Amino acid sequence: MAKLYPVGNPKTLFSPHSSPRTPCRVILSPQLETRTSHWQGSPPVKTVGQNYRALVLLLLTSLLIVAGLGSRLAYIQLVQTQYYRQLADTNRIRLFPQPPERGRIVDRNGVLLAGSQLSHSVFLWPLVQSRQRWQEMIPTLAQYLQIAPEEIEQKLEQAGYRSPFPVRILRNASPQVVIQLEEMSRELPGVMVEAEAIRFYPHGDLAAHVLGYTGEIPQEQLRANPDYRLGDIVGLMGAEELFEPHLRGQWGGRQVEVDAMGEVLRVLGEQAPQPGKTLQLTLDVRLQQVAEQALANRKGAVVAMDPRDGSILAMASYPTFDPNLFSSRITQAQWDALQQQEFPFLNRGLRAYAPASTYKIITTAAGIESGVFPPGTVLQTTAYIQVGGWRFWDWNRAGFGRLNYRQAMAYSSDTFFYQIALGTKVGPLQEWSRRFGLGQPTGIGLKGEALGLVPDVDWKQRHWREPWYVGDTVNMSIGQGFVTATPLQMAIVTAAVANGGWRVRPLLSQQVIPENPVPLRQPVGMSAATLQILQQGLRDVVVYGTGGNANLGPGFPPTAGKTGTAEDPPRRSHAWFVGYAPYDQPELVVVVFLENSGGGGGAQAAPVFREVMRAYFQPES
């Protein structure tokens, strides 16, 4: 009986029991097969060994598959073990970074100026949710926190959605927000509320321009400082910024195991953060309070400095601001209120203005040291002098008759100093301006410090496309025209007279002195005769001259100083007073500047000087 076998020849017959598409060959007896082959005209087909060949192919294929799977498993287990271990750990092990507590800031007597207080901050853990899931959650979260959704999204984008570190999106959260987020914790996976110390300034806006404030690190600063991470709190102004390395501290953290819901099961490891160091400033809180009160909400600045070593005891500026506003999220209403003031963030102690007659200290030094007008010089003063068709008037419109240096300083005669400038030309004025520190950094290190201006021929040609005129020299001799100086620079000028001729570098801390190219002390280069005339002339200003309001009264030490009234058309004039006390053994220099106050320096600024000096020498009750 014939048997049917599948073969690959398309010309074979089909078995009645096979699939219509399965070819089968009919195998008959050898005789019949021989005949059939003969009939077809083809040689006999060999079938022995075909079953073994299929088996071999099957075995080879199986071996290749097993080898491929084995090599892949070996690669995963041996080469990428660490990667997959970390991937698994992120599902159950999380790192809670712990920021350090920022170092405290205290005044020279240990009174707290800036510290920390406990608050709650809201963090997002990017890797807990997919990017798509975060996008779905952001609108709800923004509504709870009263934050723009774009702001939350931006912070997640900056951190990266696979970041293992939490991202802070809100500081100093209100109790209502904390409670609401705790209640919604199951619906908001990856959202955490953590206790965190924030900056606190117990005296509010006191010394705000000196202390500065803190905030999250800006992107440009983050890119430039690889040691910082997104969301770090850094100093952004004043001493907080200047002494950042000292105040910062070092991060710590906890490694914890969590369950599927993100709840902490156990702490696997912990490294305590190291708090920043305490910073002691040279400021005196009591004197700072008096200086700010004496300004009485008038635009201006008060600088109080020890002339012996440059220590800043007070630096007041108004308008001002409360740095506590920036320890949390500032509201639009708070920001709008700040904008209603005129440049509240501007430290007017570091801004440059025309120094007016306080500059006559420098004109006196230039006149004597030039050799053109020696110490015994006496000049006739008049109502005005005429230069190139222009009249340059004395401030009293009459002159003061014949005066020497001391008398000219006491009465602040303009025409006396006009003549000094005309005789010396502009060179000595420029030289001694720079010797006293004008037109250059003081070395205090605070950002935003103006350099002031010591004008010269090249400067005027570049900025005004004009030559230098004799009238420019005349104006410069009385601190008008193009010359400008900051209240802090004028404190250094005054200190050089008080301390015997030394230009000191102003310091905010004797504990930590930042590196700076400005020396701590350098000689101005005045002769003893010049120094004596300056000291006696400044004393005469208070005794019988324009600065009578700077007298402290019975029981207080004698003072010395100089008034100044700077024109600022079309606005009202500025008022200046610079001085020191005690006259014979100076301990304190005080500079008062009132912006567009109107009136003269003797009437407006000298009383402020008197209040600050009396507070310094008045024993504490």
Side-chain angles (χ1 to χ4, degrees):
M1 184 174 182
K3 294 182 179 180
L4 301 179
Y5 296 93
V7 296
N9 191 341
K11 295 181 180 181
T12 54
L13 299 175
F14 290 94
S15 166
H17 304 288
S18 65
S19 170
R21 293 187 178 181
T22 304
C24 298
R25 182 177 180 127
V26 181
I27 304 299
L28 305 176
S29 65
Q31 294 84 0
L32 290 177
E33 185 175 0
T34 301
R35 293 179 184 174
T36 305
S37 299
H38 177 72
W39 293 337
Q40 293 178 348
S42 59
V45 178
K46 185 178 180 182
T47 61
V48 177
Q50 286 189 5
N51 291 338
Y52 295 104
R53 188 181 307 164
L55 182 59
V56 170
L57 290 174
L58 180 61
L59 290 175
L60 289 175
T61 302
S62 300
L63 288 174
L64 289 175
I65 293 173
V66 171
L69 292 174
S71 62
R72 179 59 180 171
L73 290 174
Y75 175 76
I76 292 174
Q77 293 183 0
L78 299 179
V79 180
Q80 289 194 309
T81 301
Q82 189 64 25
Y83 169 78
Y84 284 102
R85 181 176 298 164
Q86 291 176 350
L87 194 63
D89 285 345
T90 58
N91 291 325
R92 65 181 186 87
I93 299 175
R94 295 178 185 172
L95 178 65
F96 285 85
Q98 292 180 296
E101 182 178 349
R102 195 167 179 82
R104 300 187 310 143
I105 301 178
V106 298
D107 84 334
R108 65 193 302 111
N109 299 310
V111 178
L112 183 67
L113 294 172
S116 299
Q117 65 180 10
L118 194 63
S119 71
H120 289 87
S121 297
V122 179
F123 293 84
L124 302 186
W125 203 309
L127 60 76
V128 171
Q129 299 289 337
S130 66
R131 177 171 184 164
Q132 180 180 356
R133 177 58 182 149
W134 278 119
Q135 297 295 327
E136 296 172 354
M137 287 174 54
I138 284 175
T140 302
L141 189 59
Q143 185 178 4
Y144 289 152
L145 303 181
Q146 297 298 303
I147 300 178
E150 297 78 12
E151 184 176 340
I152 300 177
E153 184 176 0
Q154 181 183 17
K155 290 195 174 184
L156 284 173
E157 292 285 350
Q158 290 173 351
Y161 286 91
R162 301 308 299 166
S163 172
F165 300 109
V167 179
R168 183 192 303 103
I169 60 171
L170 180 64
R171 287 192 293 162
N172 198 21
S174 67
Q176 294 82 1
V177 168
V178 173
I179 294 173
Q180 191 172 27
L181 291 181
E182 290 292 342
E183 292 175 348
M184 299 290 294
S185 59
R186 299 266 180 191
E187 290 78 8
L188 298 172
V191 179
M192 303 180 302
V193 177
E194 289 287 317
E196 186 179 35
I198 64 168
R199 207 55 162 164
F200 173 64
Y201 302 89
H203 300 281
D205 60 6
L206 184 73
H209 295 93
V210 177
L211 296 176
Y213 59 88
T214 62
E216 292 190 9
I217 184 169
Q219 279 297 307
E220 59 274 11
Q221 187 177 346
L222 180 62
R223 288 191 291 267
N225 294 275
D227 292 338
Y228 286 86
R229 65 183 68 182
L230 183 67
D232 273 2
I233 303 300
V234 298
L236 296 177
M237 181 183 173
E240 293 278 22
E241 181 179 27
L242 178 61
F243 299 102
E244 168 69 19
H246 186 83
L247 296 168
R248 179 189 176 193
Q250 295 183 3
W251 279 72
R254 288 176 297 156
Q255 194 176 42
V256 300
E257 184 177 1
V258 298
D259 60 18
M261 300 304 298
E263 299 292 336
V264 176
L265 299 177
R266 61 191 177 106
V267 177
L268 302 177
E270 184 170 6
Q271 180 176 350
Q274 297 183 15
K277 301 175 184 176
T278 297
L279 173 68
Q280 185 171 39
L281 297 182
T282 57
L283 292 182
D284 185 312
V285 165
R286 188 171 66 95
L287 200 64
Q288 180 74 28
Q289 289 171 334
V290 172
E292 296 191 10
Q293 291 168 2
L295 275 176
N297 295 343
R298 291 175 291 180
K299 285 190 301 180
V302 175
V303 177
M305 183 175 74
D306 189 329
R308 298 165 294 186
D309 61 8
S311 295
I312 299 297
L313 276 68
M315 182 179 284
S317 179
Y318 187 84
T320 187
F321 64 96
D322 185 351
N324 286 302
L325 294 174
F326 300 94
S327 295
S328 57
R329 183 180 178 83
I330 187 170
T331 67
Q332 187 63 47
Q334 292 170 330
W335 181 253
D336 292 341
L338 283 173
Q339 297 307 303
Q340 292 176 5
Q341 303 183 64
E342 188 172 350
F343 305 113
F345 299 102
L346 179 66
N347 186 346
R348 284 167 167 80
L350 304 179
R351 187 183 180 189
Y353 306 87
S357 292
T358 62
Y359 185 82
K360 291 172 182 175
I361 296 172
I362 297 174
T363 306
T364 297
I368 298 174
E369 295 295 333
S370 70
V372 179
F373 297 95
T377 296
V378 176
L379 298 175
Q380 179 68 40
T381 64
T382 57
Y384 64 87
I385 64 170
Q386 189 158 336
V387 178
W390 290 88
R391 290 181 178 181
F392 292 85
W393 292 85
D394 212 315
W395 68 269
N396 70 347
R397 297 279 170 162
F400 297 89
R402 292 175 60 80
L403 300 176
N404 60 25
Y405 276 112
R406 290 177 57 179
Q407 294 167 329
M409 189 78 73
Y411 294 126
S412 198
S413 171
D414 293 331
T415 54
F416 180 93
F417 292 100
Y418 292 158
Q419 294 176 72
I420 298 293
L422 289 172
T424 62
K425 307 297 189 275
V426 73
L429 293 177
Q430 295 166 339
E431 176 189 351
W432 283 91
S433 294
R434 296 187 178 99
R435 281 175 177 258
F436 276 99
L438 270 58
Q440 53 202 290
T442 64
I444 193 171
L446 294 177
K447 294 276 185 73
E449 179 187 21
L451 302 182
L453 176 63
V454 179
D456 55 26
V457 174
D458 293 337
W459 174 87
K460 190 178 181 190
Q461 186 61 46
R462 288 196 309 271
H463 289 82
W464 290 83
R465 300 291 188 266
E466 290 181 358
W468 185 271
Y469 299 118
V470 176
D472 296 328
T473 304
V474 171
N475 269 330
M476 186 172 176
S477 69
I478 63 167
Q480 294 282 178
F482 302 117
V483 64
T484 60
T486 68
L488 181 60
Q489 287 175 331
M490 292 312 300
I492 295 170
V493 171
T494 309
V497 178
N499 65 24
W502 292 92
R503 174 181 156 193
V504 294
R505 172 179 156 194
L507 297 175
L508 287 175
S509 174
Q510 294 287 352
Q511 173 196 11
V512 182
I513 301 178
E515 293 185 6
N516 197 291
V518 179
L520 294 177
R521 285 170 62 91
Q522 54 186 311
V524 175
M526 290 184 290
S527 66
T530 300
L531 185 61
Q532 183 181 26
I533 286 178
L534 284 172
Q535 291 174 341
Q536 292 174 345
L538 295 182
R539 175 61 182 154
D540 291 341
V541 168
V542 178
V543 172
Y544 66 87
T546 60
N549 283 330
N551 276 305
L552 304 186
F556 290 92
T559 59
K562 184 70 189 77
T563 58
T565 306
E567 296 179 356
D568 187 32
R571 294 171 291 272
R572 295 191 300 174
S573 59
H574 305 312
W576 286 87
F577 190 88
V578 303
Y580 60 90
Y583 166 68
D584 49 352
Q585 291 183 326
E587 296 179 22
L588 186 67
V589 164
V590 174
V591 172
V592 179
F593 170 79
L594 300 178
E595 183 179 335
N596 300 124
S597 62
Q604 298 293 326
V608 178
F609 168 88
R610 182 179 63 224
E611 287 188 49
V612 176
M613 279 294 184
R614 286 175 66 92
Y616 178 81
F617 290 105
Q618 180 72 50
E620 293 188 49
S621 56

